[in-house]
Amino acid sequence: MTTIKAIRIDKTGGPEVMALKPVELGHPDPGEVTVRAKAIGVNFIDTYHRSGLYPVPLPSGIGMEASGIVEAVGKGVTTLKTGDRVAYASGPVGAYAEAHNIAAASAVKIPDGIADDVAASMMLKGLTAQFLLRQTFKVEKGQTILWHAAAGGVGLIACQWAKHLGATVIGTVGSEEKAKLAREHGCDHVIDYSKEDVAARVTEITGGAKLPVVYDGVGKATFMSSLDSLAPLGLLVSFGNASGPVTDVNLGILAQKGSLYVTRPTMYHYAAKTPTAMQEMADDLFAVVKSGAVKIEVKQRYALAEASRAHLDLEARKTVGASVLVP
């Protein structure tokens, strides 16, 4: 057993329920490794675990993503060794800690040229962009797509990547500052949803054709405008709940608006398709980042003890790009 410091929650609620506490970390079980954290990613899914929107057994750690050094290896692990630089973006929750035990299959090796804070901040968001753009709907050259919250952590990565793939990218934002950021990261057209009708602007931009796909991580507040932005037989990729979950949907509305499709994908199901899927997804991400086509910018850094403030800033939409905790 080793004593480490970790953020723990004993009950669900606001950011104030998180506290930095000493905890005992055991030797990794068979198939696991201990990762000593160098940087820890902060993501919206962490706020869902904290608030109870996505329930976790309590008391609990929190956090899904980090980069660091393999400190110990459990029995049966052959893919990693002590001293390897790795990153991960999957459960069990508990990444907000000085060290964490995870399944070796969930950790990917970080190539030279990728910094620790960049790796930590891009795994969950970058792998999300990877499966959404390359698997859920395979974006091709010449297509026009819409990405809600284009200046958010996933949005900044995805818009650059979609532009690199040859798409025309429309992004939505909530301020002129974020509009500027979105334009700098691949958006050909930016819609300020606080001032403009999103679907009307999409119709105008596309000359009435509308879109084959809309990527929506906002949820409740944007659901109808997303549907109204789609061409017949178009796909709404709903992958987040930043404004609250979409509930009580009348499926008949999909027929009325053009025989539309809706999917609610998660990274877990794509990463679990094959034993090597996670590393293959990560290699695709690392390659596009190392090429310079996608730039990862860590805009906010907080001490591990400042996790509550990081959540307050994230939920108030005060953050841009990526945020990390530093143990």
Side-chain angles (χ1 to χ4, degrees), residues 191-319:
I191 302 171
D192 186 338
Y193 56 75
S194 70
K195 301 176 182 177
E196 301 175 276
D197 182 310
V198 172
R201 281 286 291 124
V202 166
T203 301
E204 179 184 341
I205 291 166
T206 61
K210 298 190 179 181
L211 306 168
V213 64
V214 171
Y215 292 99
D216 190 342
V218 177
K220 184 176 181 179
T222 52
F223 182 70
M224 290 307 298
S225 67
S226 292
L227 295 182
D228 288 335
S229 298
L230 287 166
L233 308 184
L235 173 65
L236 169 56
V237 181
S238 177
F239 67 95
N241 307 302
S243 67
V246 177
T247 58
D248 300 322
V249 176
N250 174 9
L251 291 180
I253 201 169
L254 302 179
Q256 296 166 20
K257 293 183 180 295
S259 295
L260 303 179
Y261 296 85
V262 177
T263 185
R264 186 64 172 84
T266 70
M267 185 180 72
Y268 170 79
H269 293 111
Y270 285 88
K273 288 196 302 183
T274 69
T276 58
M278 177 69 87
Q279 186 69 57
E280 289 165 1
M281 290 165 62
D283 289 344
D284 192 21
L285 171 63
F286 292 145
V288 79
V289 170
K290 289 190 71 173
S291 76
V294 172
K295 295 177 175 60
I296 307 295
E297 295 171 307
V298 180
K299 294 288 191 178
Q300 295 83 211
R301 291 177 175 82
Y302 306 86
L304 180 58
E306 297 179 300
S308 294
R309 185 163 71 88
H311 277 215
L312 282 169
D313 290 349
L314 184 64
E315 291 180 299
R317 301 195 184 186
K318 291 181 179 179
T319 64

Side-chain angles (χ1 to χ4, degrees), residues 49-114:
H49 290 146
R50 188 211 71 226
S51 70
L53 179 61
Y54 291 178
V56 295
L58 297 175
S60 176
I62 191 168
M64 299 285 288
E65 170 185 59
S67 66
I69 304 296
V70 174
E71 194 170 67
V73 176
K75 290 181 180 179
V77 175
T78 58
T79 55
L80 297 171
K81 63 183 185 302
T82 302
D84 280 347
R85 291 180 68 228
V86 298
Y88 61 90
S90 62
V93 294
Y96 288 17
E98 292 177 328
H100 187 38
N101 290 341
I102 63 162
S106 297
V108 298
K109 293 181 180 180
I110 305 171
D112 292 341
I114 302 287

